[in-house]
Amino acid sequence: MKNELLHIGPFTIYGYGLMIAVGVIAAYFTAEYRAKKHGLDPDRVFGLVVCAVVGGMLGAKLLYFLTEFPAILKDPSLLLDISNGFVVYGGIIGGILCCLLYCRKKGMVFLKYFDLVMPSVALAQGFGRIGCFLAGCCYGKETESPLGIVFHESAYAPNGVKMIPTQLISSGLDFLHFAVLIWLARRVKADGQVAGCYLIFYSAGRFILEFFRGDLIRGSVGILSTSQFISIFTCLAGVVLVICQGRKQKLRERTVSEEKE
């Protein structure tokens, strides 16, 4: 709940930035370790992580600008603020697209590396939400619950008000998500199904958690927040990916079985 963690001369170490860095590093080493275990090229992981980070930052910023388009029309100078305002879904979509282009350029099987990377994305998100908690952004609605938290020095959340700790709830769900995806990765056979499960689980959790968020400056589509609206389509995309890849795998197994007979 304190974003400025350490001052070293003119430099300040911020909790949000530190947690983002820890998340990216943890994601990289986890993906590299798992690449070796799954027979994939670990040397490709660094390029994937760079693409995911760059594409993710650009996508997150672009979607934020889209949600704030009316305000930007009134005050174009908002486009110059590159340090604040990111939407996670834009980061996910931008990161995936950037990694897809990287895999095609390098001749890599995208779905195999998609499955490899997405558990690490969930891990990075878990640390990132701790950063949100330290900064006070992505805060929850006001509550009288004894589990509520009160910010005192936040530049984003209302100070002195007890609120639902949506950042910590989200962080816990992300770490759980990581563990579940790792467990699934040892059991599913079809390429793309682990990534599909990521899209399903994250979308469902995000859709529900949005009802408890208190930061309203994030755009809306009808009665749904922007993130809830996107969640519907990412969840459907995950379901389609899991089902289609599962059917393809069964067809391949049946073909192999018939050839042996």
Side-chain angles (χ1 to χ4, degrees):
M1 298 172 63
K2 182 176 176 59
N3 197 27
E4 296 184 7
L5 299 181
L6 183 64
H7 296 278
I8 304 176
F11 301 101
T12 301
I13 296 178
Y14 293 94
Y16 181 80
L18 177 63
M19 287 298 102
I20 293 294
V22 169
V24 171
I25 293 171
Y28 168 69
F29 283 111
T30 302
E32 184 183 49
Y33 172 76
R34 294 183 61 244
K36 296 175 183 177
K37 292 189 65 176
H38 290 272
L40 298 174
D41 188 354
D43 293 334
R44 299 291 194 187
V45 173
F46 181 77
L48 278 173
V49 171
V50 171
C51 285
V53 171
V54 174
M57 294 292 287
L58 292 176
K61 195 65 182 178
L62 177 60
L63 186 54
Y64 173 76
F65 285 151
L66 289 176
T67 60
E68 290 297 294
F69 189 67
I72 291 172
L73 285 178
K74 295 179 180 179
D75 183 9
S77 66
L78 293 174
L79 292 170
L80 301 177
D81 184 7
I82 60 174
S83 61
N84 296 310
F86 297 92
V87 178
V88 172
Y89 262 124
I92 294 173
I93 296 169
I96 291 174
L97 291 177
C98 196
C99 287
L100 173 61
L101 294 175
Y102 177 81
C103 286
R104 287 189 174 181
K105 182 178 180 180
K106 298 295 183 180
M108 300 155 58
V109 181
F110 172 68
L111 288 180
K112 288 185 179 294
Y113 285 90
F114 196 19
D115 283 342
L116 173 73
V117 168
M118 295 317 288
S120 293
V121 171
L123 178 64
Q125 287 177 313
F127 286 106
R129 286 305 184 188
I130 295 175
C132 292
F133 176 70
L134 293 174
C137 60
C138 307
Y139 53 88
K141 292 181 177 180
E142 293 186 24
T143 181
E144 296 300 324
S145 168
L147 299 179
I149 56 172
V150 178
F151 290 93
H152 299 285
E153 301 177 15
S154 174
Y156 305 99
N159 292 300
V161 179
K162 186 182 289 187
M163 292 174 291
I164 299 172
T166 48
Q167 309 98 325
L168 297 182
I169 295 172
S170 182
S171 177
L173 289 175
D174 287 328
F175 288 131
L176 177 61
H177 194 187
F178 166 72
V180 171
L181 292 176
I182 292 296
W183 181 82
L184 285 173
R186 299 182 184 132
R187 287 160 177 80
V188 299
K189 297 180 180 180
D191 293 338
Q193 286 192 317
V194 172
C197 287
Y198 168 91
L199 295 175
I200 294 169
F201 299 154
Y202 180 79
S203 299
R206 183 61 186 269
F207 189 93
I208 295 171
L209 198 60
E210 282 288 298
F211 288 112
F212 302 95
R213 290 276 292 266
D215 50 333
L216 301 178
I217 311 176
R218 292 178 294 114
S220 62
V221 181
I223 62 173
L224 301 176
S225 70
T226 301
S227 293
Q228 285 178 318
F229 181 73
I230 296 174
S231 291
I232 295 172
F233 297 97
T234 52
C235 185
L236 290 174
V239 170
V240 170
L241 186 58
V242 169
I243 293 175
C244 289
Q245 290 304 111
R247 288 178 176 175
K248 288 181 181 179
Q249 180 64 26
K250 288 182 179 180
L251 180 60
R252 283 192 291 266
E253 292 175 352
R254 188 181 305 132
T255 301
V256 171
S257 178
E258 291 174 351
E259 289 177 351
K260 289 182 178 180
E261 294 176 357

mmCIF file of all heavy atoms in Angstrom, residues 51-69:
data_model
loop_
_atom_site.group_PDB
_atom_site.id
_atom_site.type_symbol
_atom_site.label_atom_id
_atom_site.label_comp_id
_atom_site.label_asym_id
_atom_site.label_seq_id
_atom_site.Cartn_x
_atom_site.Cartn_y
_atom_site.Cartn_z
ATOM 1 N N CYS A 51 8.741 -9.919 -27.152
ATOM 2 C CA CYS A 51 7.565 -9.623 -27.987
ATOM 3 C C CYS A 51 6.313 -9.461 -27.132
ATOM 4 O O CYS A 51 5.496 -8.570 -27.379
ATOM 5 C CB CYS A 51 7.350 -10.741 -28.998
ATOM 6 S SG CYS A 51 8.518 -10.733 -30.371
ATOM 7 N N ALA A 52 6.167 -10.332 -26.136
ATOM 8 C CA ALA A 52 4.994 -10.272 -25.268
ATOM 9 C C ALA A 52 4.963 -8.966 -24.483
ATOM 10 O O ALA A 52 3.902 -8.341 -24.334
ATOM 11 C CB ALA A 52 4.985 -11.456 -24.311
ATOM 12 N N VAL A 53 6.120 -8.533 -23.982
ATOM 13 C CA VAL A 53 6.189 -7.307 -23.191
ATOM 14 C C VAL A 53 5.922 -6.084 -24.076
ATOM 15 O O VAL A 53 5.105 -5.221 -23.731
ATOM 16 C CB VAL A 53 7.557 -7.176 -22.493
ATOM 17 C CG1 VAL A 53 7.704 -5.799 -21.856
ATOM 18 C CG2 VAL A 53 7.720 -8.255 -21.434
ATOM 19 N N VAL A 54 6.605 -6.014 -25.215
ATOM 20 C CA VAL A 54 6.441 -4.856 -26.109
ATOM 21 C C VAL A 54 5.017 -4.805 -26.668
ATOM 22 O O VAL A 54 4.341 -3.771 -26.612
ATOM 23 C CB VAL A 54 7.461 -4.904 -27.269
ATOM 24 C CG1 VAL A 54 7.181 -3.786 -28.271
ATOM 25 C CG2 VAL A 54 8.873 -4.773 -26.721
ATOM 26 N N GLY A 55 4.550 -5.944 -27.192
ATOM 27 C CA GLY A 55 3.190 -5.994 -27.728
ATOM 28 C C GLY A 55 2.151 -5.759 -26.653
ATOM 29 O O GLY A 55 1.119 -5.112 -26.893
ATOM 30 N N GLY A 56 2.431 -6.279 -25.454
ATOM 31 C CA GLY A 56 1.508 -6.098 -24.343
ATOM 32 C C GLY A 56 1.388 -4.651 -23.910
ATOM 33 O O GLY A 56 0.283 -4.145 -23.681
ATOM 34 N N MET A 57 2.516 -3.971 -23.809
ATOM 35 C CA MET A 57 2.489 -2.557 -23.413
ATOM 36 C C MET A 57 1.759 -1.708 -24.456
ATOM 37 O O MET A 57 0.934 -0.858 -24.111
ATOM 38 C CB MET A 57 3.924 -2.051 -23.234
ATOM 39 C CG MET A 57 4.676 -2.691 -22.078
ATOM 40 S SD MET A 57 4.027 -2.238 -20.462
ATOM 41 C CE MET A 57 4.600 -0.550 -20.335
ATOM 42 N N LEU A 58 2.058 -1.968 -25.721
ATOM 43 C CA LEU A 58 1.405 -1.196 -26.789
ATOM 44 C C LEU A 58 -0.093 -1.482 -26.837
ATOM 45 O O LEU A 58 -0.914 -0.563 -26.975
ATOM 46 C CB LEU A 58 2.048 -1.528 -28.138
ATOM 47 C CG LEU A 58 3.494 -1.065 -28.340
ATOM 48 C CD1 LEU A 58 4.031 -1.557 -29.672
ATOM 49 C CD2 LEU A 58 3.591 0.451 -28.267
ATOM 50 N N GLY A 59 -0.449 -2.767 -26.709
ATOM 51 C CA GLY A 59 -1.860 -3.127 -26.747
ATOM 52 C C GLY A 59 -2.634 -2.567 -25.573
ATOM 53 O O GLY A 59 -3.759 -2.093 -25.724
ATOM 54 N N ALA A 60 -2.022 -2.637 -24.383
ATOM 55 C CA ALA A 60 -2.679 -2.124 -23.177
ATOM 56 C C ALA A 60 -2.901 -0.620 -23.268
ATOM 57 O O ALA A 60 -3.943 -0.102 -22.848
ATOM 58 C CB ALA A 60 -1.831 -2.466 -21.943
ATOM 59 N N LYS A 61 -1.920 0.074 -23.835
ATOM 60 C CA LYS A 61 -2.048 1.532 -23.968
ATOM 61 C C LYS A 61 -3.075 1.893 -25.032
ATOM 62 O O LYS A 61 -3.884 2.813 -24.854
ATOM 63 C CB LYS A 61 -0.688 2.133 -24.331
ATOM 64 C CG LYS A 61 -0.622 3.645 -24.132
ATOM 65 C CD LYS A 61 -0.772 4.002 -22.670
ATOM 66 C CE LYS A 61 -0.759 5.486 -22.432
ATOM 67 N NZ LYS A 61 -0.957 5.839 -20.994
ATOM 68 N N LEU A 62 -3.060 1.156 -26.143
ATOM 69 C CA LEU A 62 -3.994 1.439 -27.225
ATOM 70 C C LEU A 62 -5.440 1.238 -26.781
ATOM 71 O O LEU A 62 -6.314 2.074 -27.065
ATOM 72 C CB LEU A 62 -3.692 0.543 -28.423
ATOM 73 C CG LEU A 62 -4.637 0.673 -29.625
ATOM 74 C CD1 LEU A 62 -4.611 2.105 -30.161
ATOM 75 C CD2 LEU A 62 -4.261 -0.307 -30.718
ATOM 76 N N LEU A 63 -5.696 0.138 -26.057
ATOM 77 C CA LEU A 63 -7.064 -0.106 -25.599
ATOM 78 C C LEU A 63 -7.493 0.949 -24.578
ATOM 79 O O LEU A 63 -8.659 1.352 -24.546
ATOM 80 C CB LEU A 63 -7.170 -1.511 -24.992
ATOM 81 C CG LEU A 63 -8.594 -1.944 -24.596
ATOM 82 C CD1 LEU A 63 -9.558 -1.815 -25.765
ATOM 83 C CD2 LEU A 63 -8.585 -3.375 -24.070
ATOM 84 N N TYR A 64 -6.561 1.413 -23.764
ATOM 85 C CA TYR A 64 -6.874 2.490 -22.816
ATOM 86 C C TYR A 64 -7.285 3.746 -23.569
ATOM 87 O O TYR A 64 -8.266 4.413 -23.209
ATOM 88 C CB TYR A 64 -5.678 2.778 -21.918
ATOM 89 C CG TYR A 64 -5.874 3.985 -21.038
ATOM 90 C CD1 TYR A 64 -6.687 3.927 -19.910
ATOM 91 C CD2 TYR A 64 -5.258 5.206 -21.350
ATOM 92 C CE1 TYR A 64 -6.885 5.046 -19.115
ATOM 93 C CE2 TYR A 64 -5.444 6.323 -20.556
ATOM 94 C CZ TYR A 64 -6.257 6.242 -19.432
ATOM 95 O OH TYR A 64 -6.457 7.352 -18.651
ATOM 96 N N PHE A 65 -6.542 4.077 -24.630
ATOM 97 C CA PHE A 65 -6.889 5.250 -25.429
ATOM 98 C C PHE A 65 -8.274 5.097 -26.061
ATOM 99 O O PHE A 65 -9.040 6.061 -26.149
ATOM 100 C CB PHE A 65 -5.852 5.475 -26.527
ATOM 101 C CG PHE A 65 -4.554 6.058 -26.034
ATOM 102 C CD1 PHE A 65 -3.356 5.780 -26.687
ATOM 103 C CD2 PHE A 65 -4.526 6.890 -24.930
ATOM 104 C CE1 PHE A 65 -2.161 6.333 -26.252
ATOM 105 C CE2 PHE A 65 -3.333 7.439 -24.471
ATOM 106 C CZ PHE A 65 -2.149 7.154 -25.130
ATOM 107 N N LEU A 66 -8.603 3.881 -26.486
ATOM 108 C CA LEU A 66 -9.916 3.648 -27.089
ATOM 109 C C LEU A 66 -11.034 3.832 -26.064
ATOM 110 O O LEU A 66 -12.089 4.394 -26.367
ATOM 111 C CB LEU A 66 -9.978 2.234 -27.677
ATOM 112 C CG LEU A 66 -9.133 1.997 -28.933
ATOM 113 C CD1 LEU A 66 -9.203 0.532 -29.346
ATOM 114 C CD2 LEU A 66 -9.604 2.894 -30.080
ATOM 115 N N THR A 67 -10.795 3.356 -24.829
ATOM 116 C CA THR A 67 -11.823 3.507 -23.793
ATOM 117 C C THR A 67 -11.961 4.960 -23.365
ATOM 118 O O THR A 67 -13.026 5.381 -22.892
ATOM 119 C CB THR A 67 -11.492 2.654 -22.556
ATOM 120 O OG1 THR A 67 -10.222 3.060 -22.007
ATOM 121 C CG2 THR A 67 -11.433 1.176 -22.909
ATOM 122 N N GLU A 68 -10.907 5.732 -23.534
ATOM 123 C CA GLU A 68 -10.921 7.137 -23.139
ATOM 124 C C GLU A 68 -11.064 8.076 -24.338
ATOM 125 O O GLU A 68 -10.736 9.264 -24.243
ATOM 126 C CB GLU A 68 -9.635 7.465 -22.378
ATOM 127 C CG GLU A 68 -9.537 6.841 -20.999
ATOM 128 C CD GLU A 68 -10.623 7.353 -20.076
ATOM 129 O OE1 GLU A 68 -10.613 8.544 -19.734
ATOM 130 O OE2 GLU A 68 -11.507 6.551 -19.722
ATOM 131 N N PHE A 69 -11.532 7.548 -25.463
ATOM 132 C CA PHE A 69 -11.584 8.332 -26.700
ATOM 133 C C PHE A 69 -12.370 9.637 -26.564
ATOM 134 O O PHE A 69 -11.914 10.695 -27.032
ATOM 135 C CB PHE A 69 -12.161 7.476 -27.830
ATOM 136 C CG PHE A 69 -12.055 8.113 -29.181
ATOM 137 C CD1 PHE A 69 -10.822 8.313 -29.780
ATOM 138 C CD2 PHE A 69 -13.192 8.545 -29.853
ATOM 139 C CE1 PHE A 69 -10.721 8.908 -31.015
ATOM 140 C CE2 PHE A 69 -13.097 9.151 -31.092
ATOM 141 C CZ PHE A 69 -11.857 9.333 -31.683
#
